[in-house]
Amino acid sequence: MNGKAIGQATIRDVAREAGASVASVSRVFNRLPNVRPELKERVEAAACKLNYVPHAGARNLSLARTGVIGVVLPDLHGEFFSEILRGMEREAAMRGRHLLLSNMHMGLGDGVEALRNMRGRVDGLIVMAPHIDPDLLFAHLPASIPAILLNGPENRQGRPELRIDNAAGARTMVEHLVAAGRRAIIHIAGSQGNIEAAERARGYREAMAAAGLVPVILPGNFDEESGHLAVQRLQMQQMEVDAIFAANDMMAIGALVALRDMGVDVPGQVAVAGFDNIPLARLISPGLTTMAVDIADLGARAINRLSAVIDGENVPQTELRYPSLIVRNSTTQTIA
Amino acid sequence: MNGKAIGQATIRDVAREAGASVASVSRVFNRLPNVRPELKERVEAAACKLNYVPHAGARNLSLARTGVIGVVLPDLHGEFFSEILRGMEREAAMRGRHLLLSNMHMGLGDGVEALRNMRGRVDGLIVMAPHIDPDLLFAHLPASIPAILLNGPENRQGRPELRIDNAAGARTMVEHLVAAGRRAIIHIAGSQGNIEAAERARGYREAMAAAGLVPVILPGNFDEESGHLAVQRLQMQQMEVDAIFAANDMMAIGALVALRDMGVDVPGQVAVAGFDNIPLARLISPGLTTMAVDIADLGARAINRLSAVIDGENVPQTELRYPSLIVRNSTTQTIA
DNA sequence: CGGTTTCTTGTAACCGGTTACAAGACGGAT
DNA sequence: ATCCGTCTTGTAACCGGTTACAAGAAACCG
């Protein structure tokens, strides 16, 4: 046992042990072809003996390339969060990249700071910040670091963006409800200031107007409880309702439970619809009609496009993904 | 406009622009006190003019510290995945650390390789690999990289581990059922070879023995269908049953649905209990009695302990978290 | 056998930060 | 004025890899 117990072996240690140069060791580890087999073996033996593992950080610095993609997400819950990460992770793994997580539970100032801190840590960023103006956010980000915007408002910095067409989805849902004979369709909105919530509300308003119906929007904040509360409010105000379209599934489920608790038949008396198609939507009873967004696919595409940008390819600035209507029992029984 | 449009400014550029040395610029950016205010201002002005952002990778290399924690998870779905990451992310953010994700959808060989690749990229690892022998996994990992094992079998490498006390949870549940007057309590086990499934079955057997009851264990594999099948098997064999304790909620729900389909009253004739407290458990009817694991807390503690290890503190090798009993309607009606 | 090509190998500079150490500037005490 | 201590500042080595370039060895040619 020689000394050097503390600290990992470096490439120079291996070179010394193998009686070779660092360049050769580097070549062996990078599988370059121009190394004599005999030397290669000696290097491998030395590396094995010293239990050498290359230091990724040092490699990244000299290559100016980390193989890491930074993912900046808002304070997400449940299925959406896990699915989008699943999609991203799978795609990233396929390309030999890793994901660096960074939640954005902060204001603009800290947010910008957090993004800048990513320099030298990641090759690119995927930013999802539905409550922050991307122009302000990107303005302070070095232009040299690739970034794509996920589900945000349009940006004027020329950054590529990938977005679900929330308004179109909401219109589709309203059309479905109208086709099912519903007229008094009320909307439970998502969080104030959230761009997706705003877009879904816009689609709802447009489709209601197109159908000659009067829109009614109750506030909500995307969680189950706010769906519950909205229904209680409806009851207190004795409003006429034959359909509830919540801006996401969790609120729809909250509404569903509230209606069940007060003995209202779904879909007999009131149809309920959500948005997102979380797995739970299929499992509860009645099954929840919703707009399905292939979230994992969205995540995978984000990685895909960012990789293209990182590799210097040209990508179109905006890509829209359309959600699709999933009809289940919560809206199926047509009113006479 | 001078040249240098390509590439970010480095600390040397800033030093030149400010007419100072790199050491001073470094001191300013690290908020060291011993810099004359006038010079500090000059450096800040220069940095601002060049739009300088420090390169984290370079900093990490020279500090031998990345501020990143690697999280290696199996191919998880839904709530468990998102909750554990939420807990980790919150705790990590509080400590100024980031999370590097790496899914473990691979065999042992690739797994070891993936872990070794983390050297120089992370300060430590949190590894959750319920299907892989941690001794084999850690044997090839440099001892110098801190790692803690999450919800795995015990390891003999002296690595710290953090685990849910599944056996204790199962005992608690059996005690609850016994206290409710149940005697013929059968257990539906989780997947073969899964350590958590084995531990829950062990707890069940121990508690049954302690109560002087005879244990009956049916095979299952954690999904809804296997709960269904287990109940059908019980019916075919005409076994006497007044309670079913499934190793997780999904199987309990499968059992619940099967019982309902065959007209058995729950909890009147048979009580049903699960494990995990998934969101669905609260929403179905009757509400499912289950053992709740605070998953986010588990994640936070993992980060916590790993941070302690990284900072060179001593931590106990094993820490257990106890799940808590959540009583709902599926077990509440006591038998006469 | 000299000259040219091809292949292997090593030296040293570089990536972009941090920091030990030395040197210079300044102030106070004698 | 001299000496000493304190504070500020700069130089250069270092973290652990990659790689341009040069040099040496081997092979091939006329």
Side-chain angles (χ1 to χ4, degrees):
Chain A
M1 292 288 121
N2 60 6
K4 199 71 173 179
I6 193 73
Q8 283 294 309
T10 73
I11 197 172
R12 285 171 233 270
D13 297 328
V14 176
R16 193 179 320 120
E17 175 77 27
S21 72
V22 291
S24 293
V25 178
S26 177
R27 285 190 268 260
V28 169
F29 271 83
N30 290 309
R31 302 196 154 68
L32 296 189
N34 51 342
V35 181
R36 198 160 38 94
E38 188 272 332
L39 177 58
K40 183 178 171 204
E41 261 175 46
R42 242 167 53 220
V43 167
E44 276 165 351
C48 191
K49 174 169 172 201
L50 298 180
N51 197 13
Y52 168 70
V53 181
H55 189 287
R59 182 156 208 273
N60 295 341
L61 179 60
S62 82
L63 290 179
R65 199 172 166 300
T66 65
V68 174
I69 288 178
V71 178
V72 181
L73 296 176
D75 214 349
L76 287 175
H77 291 251
E79 291 297 332
F80 192 95
F81 180 71
S82 59
E83 278 301 296
I84 201 157
L85 275 183
R86 258 169 69 78
M88 287 182 177
E89 158 59 31
R90 190 168 9 184
E91 186 76 16
M94 253 168 48
R95 303 173 173 281
R97 297 183 196 275
H98 295 245
L99 257 37
L100 187 68
L101 233 59
S102 183
N103 268 38
M104 193 99 182
H105 26 48
M106 43 209 165
L108 175 65
D110 292 342
V112 167
E113 202 46 41
L115 287 196
R116 302 178 121 233
N117 281 340
M118 291 295 200
R119 155 150 141 95
R121 217 184 266 287
V122 302
D123 293 337
L125 290 170
I126 292 179
V127 180
M128 180 163 167
H131 56 297
I132 291 186
D133 179 2
D135 288 318
L136 266 55
L137 200 60
F138 284 152
H140 299 272
L141 193 66
S144 65
I145 173 165
I148 100 161
L149 193 62
L150 200 56
N151 269 9
E154 233 159 314
N155 76 90
R156 276 166 289 280
Q157 316 284 310
R159 301 281 190 176
E161 43 196 27
L162 181 54
R163 194 173 333 123
I164 293 166
D165 196 336
N166 287 293
R171 284 196 298 269
T172 300
M173 181 58 82
V174 172
E175 285 156 14
H176 161 70
L177 292 169
V178 169
R182 311 288 170 166
R183 290 296 173 264
I185 306 167
I186 79 112
H187 180 64
I188 308 177
S191 309
Q192 190 114 39
N194 181 298
I195 178 73
E196 296 198 75
E199 285 292 289
R200 288 172 190 184
R202 181 168 70 80
Y204 162 78
R205 270 196 306 272
E206 288 174 5
M208 290 296 278
L213 300 173
V214 37
V216 179
I217 299 186
L218 296 182
N221 62 6
F222 281 138
D223 67 12
E224 193 188 337
E225 197 189 351
S226 63
H228 215 280
L229 288 174
V231 166
Q232 285 175 347
R233 188 165 329 182
L234 285 174
Q235 189 191 33
M236 290 201 356
Q237 301 184 356
Q238 300 276 7
M239 291 188 75
E240 193 195 342
V241 174
D242 63 14
I244 294 176
F245 168 31
N248 78 344
D249 286 347
M250 280 319 290
M251 294 196 297
I253 287 170
L256 214 53
V257 171
L259 289 169
R260 181 212 289 163
D261 289 353
M262 56 183 66
V264 175
D265 181 43
V266 176
Q269 295 171 262
V270 176
V272 175
F275 205 117
D276 285 346
N277 193 33
I278 63 178
L280 196 49
R282 187 174 52 84
L283 296 170
I284 59 164
S285 145
L288 183 65
T289 292
T290 189
M291 296 304 300
V293 176
D294 189 338
I295 305 170
D297 177 67
L298 187 72
R301 271 166 199 276
I303 295 292
N304 214 320
R305 285 170 57 91
L306 182 58
S307 294
V309 177
I310 291 172
D311 296 345
E313 297 167 30
N314 262 28
V315 299
Q317 171 163 5
T318 302
E319 181 177 347
L320 286 180
R321 305 294 301 159
Y322 293 92
S324 52
L325 178 66
I326 307 278
V327 178
R328 296 204 183 90
N329 292 331
S330 71
T331 62
T332 41
Q333 186 178 323
T334 313
I335 297 184
Chain B
M1 290 287 121
N2 61 4
K4 200 72 174 178
I6 194 74
Q8 284 294 309
T10 74
I11 198 172
R12 286 170 232 270
D13 297 328
V14 175
R16 193 179 319 119
E17 175 77 26
S21 73
V22 291
S24 293
V25 178
S26 178
R27 285 190 267 260
V28 169
F29 270 83
N30 289 309
R31 301 197 156 66
L32 297 189
N34 52 342
V35 181
R36 199 160 38 95
E38 188 272 334
L39 176 59
K40 183 177 172 204
E41 262 176 46
R42 243 167 52 220
V43 166
E44 276 165 352
C48 191
K49 175 169 171 199
L50 298 180
N51 196 12
Y52 168 69
V53 181
H55 189 287
R59 183 158 207 272
N60 294 341
L61 179 59
S62 87
L63 290 179
R65 200 172 165 300
T66 65
V68 175
I69 288 176
V71 179
V72 181
L73 297 175
D75 214 350
L76 288 174
H77 291 250
E79 289 295 330
F80 193 97
F81 180 71
S82 60
E83 278 302 295
I84 202 157
L85 274 182
R86 261 169 67 77
M88 287 182 178
E89 157 59 33
R90 191 169 9 188
E91 187 75 16
M94 253 168 48
R95 303 174 173 281
R97 295 183 197 275
H98 296 242
L99 257 37
L100 187 69
L101 233 59
S102 184
N103 269 39
M104 194 99 184
H105 26 49
M106 43 208 164
L108 177 64
D110 292 344
V112 167
E113 200 48 40
L115 287 195
R116 302 178 119 234
N117 281 340
M118 291 295 204
R119 155 151 142 95
R121 218 185 266 287
V122 303
D123 294 336
L125 289 172
I126 292 178
V127 179
M128 179 162 166
H131 56 300
I132 291 186
D133 179 0
D135 287 319
L136 265 56
L137 200 60
F138 284 152
H140 298 273
L141 193 65
S144 65
I145 173 164
I148 100 163
L149 193 63
L150 200 56
N151 266 11
E154 232 159 316
N155 76 90
R156 275 165 291 279
Q157 315 285 311
R159 302 280 190 177
E161 44 197 24
L162 181 54
R163 194 171 336 123
I164 294 167
D165 195 336
N166 287 294
R171 284 196 298 268
T172 300
M173 181 58 80
V174 171
E175 284 156 14
H176 161 70
L177 292 169
V178 169
R182 311 288 170 165
R183 290 294 172 269
I185 305 169
I186 79 110
H187 180 65
I188 309 178
S191 309
Q192 190 113 37
N194 181 299
I195 178 75
E196 297 199 75
E199 284 293 289
R200 288 172 190 182
R202 181 169 68 83
Y204 162 78
R205 270 195 307 272
E206 288 173 6
M208 291 295 279
L213 300 174
V214 37
V216 179
I217 299 186
L218 296 182
N221 61 6
F222 280 140
D223 67 12
E224 194 186 336
E225 196 189 351
S226 64
H228 213 281
L229 287 175
V231 167
Q232 286 175 347
R233 187 166 329 183
L234 285 174
Q235 189 191 33
M236 290 197 0
Q237 302 183 357
Q238 302 276 9
M239 291 189 73
E240 192 195 343
V241 175
D242 63 15
I244 294 176
F245 167 32
N248 78 343
D249 286 346
M250 280 318 291
M251 293 195 298
I253 288 169
L256 213 54
V257 170
L259 290 169
R260 183 208 290 159
D261 289 353
M262 56 182 68
V264 175
D265 181 42
V266 176
Q269 295 171 262
V270 176
V272 175
F275 206 116
D276 284 347
N277 193 32
I278 63 176
L280 193 51
R282 189 172 50 86
L283 296 170
I284 60 165
S285 148
L288 183 68
T289 292
T290 189
M291 296 303 300
V293 176
D294 189 341
I295 304 169
D297 177 67
L298 186 72
R301 270 166 199 277
I303 295 291
N304 213 319
R305 283 172 57 93
L306 182 58
S307 294
V309 176
I310 291 172
D311 295 345
E313 296 167 31
N314 262 30
V315 299
Q317 171 161 3
T318 302
E319 180 178 347
L320 289 179
R321 302 297 300 158
Y322 294 91
S324 52
L325 178 66
I326 306 278
V327 178
R328 297 206 182 87
N329 291 331
S330 71
T331 62
T332 42
Q333 186 178 321
T334 312
I335 298 184

